[in-house]
Amino acid sequence: SIYGVVDGLFVSNFAGKTPFAAINLVMPFIMVLGGIGFMIGTGGTALVSKVMGEGDAEKANRYFSMMILFTVLVGAGLTVFGLVFMRPVALALGATQDMLPSCVLYGRIVVGFTGAFMLQNVFQSFLIAAEKPKLGLLATVAAGVTNMALDALFIAGFHRGVAGAAIATGLSQCVGGLFPLVYFLRPNSSRLRLVRTKLEIRVLANACANGSSELMSNISSSIVSIIYNFQLLKFLGEDGVSAYGVLMY
């Protein structure tokens, strides 16, 4: 939340009201895509923890690795979907002609990092199951500091506007998602490790069903934001979306 606020702080002060409103307009759609990572992480962690509790470390590692592989594949698919449909989605969300270029530019850049964002969400749950919660905190803080520093560099320093904000966000998600990935790929002191695996549809379905409540919570809050933005645009225009964005931060 803090580095989301910093994003808005730099964009509103250095890029202006319209780009700020554009970011707030497309952000709920981006959060829905990334929220699938919460579903996989929550449901997958419950399953892996159960298997660990049964004393089958080999199966736990295999299921854990399968969840990460599944996240990468789904993330790649959602990235393609977001890149292709970002313009029609922005129009459907009510983007004005002034806001549309910023919506599409910001949305496409951030969606390009969807896989890393999903991994970041997934690993936050699995690091707890692996008995490494402090590492999860470190990854989150590192991602936040990276985002804030790059916001200052790209937006205030290089004057890249919404593109700078999007690149800073995407790179910070890489820090939060890829740092744990490298950790689990190497020999480590946790209870989990990435190993060779294959997709097992039934197991994946059970994990996703178990974690679906997290996804629904994410989707419902995003839909509320979308409806608010849609109505605010209708009655107040960009000023309404910007004001709502400030208050939500």
Side-chain angles (χ1 to χ4, degrees):
S1 295
I2 289 172
Y3 66 77
V5 171
V6 174
D7 259 1
L9 178 70
F10 277 103
V11 171
S12 59
N13 281 278
F14 290 93
K17 175 186 71 178
T18 299
F20 178 67
I23 288 177
N24 282 280
L25 194 71
V26 298
M27 186 57 73
F29 172 68
I30 295 170
M31 292 303 297
V32 168
L33 297 184
I36 296 176
F38 288 116
M39 175 186 70
I40 299 172
T42 304
T45 299
L47 174 64
V48 170
S49 297
K50 174 179 178 294
V51 175
M52 288 169 60
E54 294 168 349
D56 194 338
E58 186 276 331
K59 182 186 284 187
N61 282 327
R62 194 172 75 248
Y63 282 180
F64 165 59
S65 303
M66 178 177 62
M67 295 300 167
I68 301 305
L69 174 61
F70 183 59
T71 302
V72 172
L73 294 176
V74 172
L78 291 176
T79 296
V80 173
F81 174 81
L83 291 174
V84 172
F85 292 101
M86 185 56 65
R87 182 180 177 85
V89 165
L91 289 170
L93 294 176
T96 64
Q97 289 303 310
D98 289 337
M99 294 169 61
L100 186 60
S102 294
C103 286
V104 175
L105 178 61
Y106 182 85
R108 282 180 172 165
I109 294 175
V110 173
V111 163
F113 295 91
T114 296
F117 183 38
M118 290 177 62
L119 283 175
Q120 181 178 357
N121 296 337
V122 168
F123 278 127
Q124 286 305 310
S125 296
F126 276 118
L127 282 166
I128 297 171
E131 299 182 354
K132 293 292 181 180
K134 291 181 180 178
L135 190 61
L137 173 62
L138 177 62
T140 301
V141 172
V145 171
T146 299
N147 195 3
M148 291 186 284
L150 293 180
D151 271 340
L153 178 64
F154 292 143
I155 303 175
F158 296 157
H159 303 288
R160 301 300 298 172
V162 292
I167 294 171
T169 297
L171 292 178
S172 72
Q173 290 167 355
C174 288
V175 172
L178 300 184
F179 171 62
L181 179 64
V182 172
Y183 174 79
F184 284 116
L185 280 171
R186 297 165 57 87
N188 61 77
S189 59
S190 78
R191 298 190 63 186
L192 292 174
R193 188 173 300 173
L194 289 170
V195 297
R196 290 185 178 274
T197 188
K198 62 179 181 179
L199 298 181
E200 299 179 38
I201 302 302
R202 184 176 180 180
V203 176
L204 288 171
N206 287 337
C208 290
N210 194 19
S212 60
S213 59
E214 290 291 325
L215 176 62
M216 290 301 105
S217 296
N218 184 273
I219 289 176
S220 63
S221 61
S222 294
I223 289 176
V224 169
S225 295
I226 288 170
I227 294 172
Y228 266 112
N229 286 333
F230 193 78
Q231 292 298 91
L232 287 166
L233 273 173
K234 179 180 178 181
F235 292 106
L236 297 172
E238 296 169 10
D239 289 342
V241 176
S242 296
Y244 178 59
V246 169
L247 290 174
M248 291 306 294
Y249 282 176

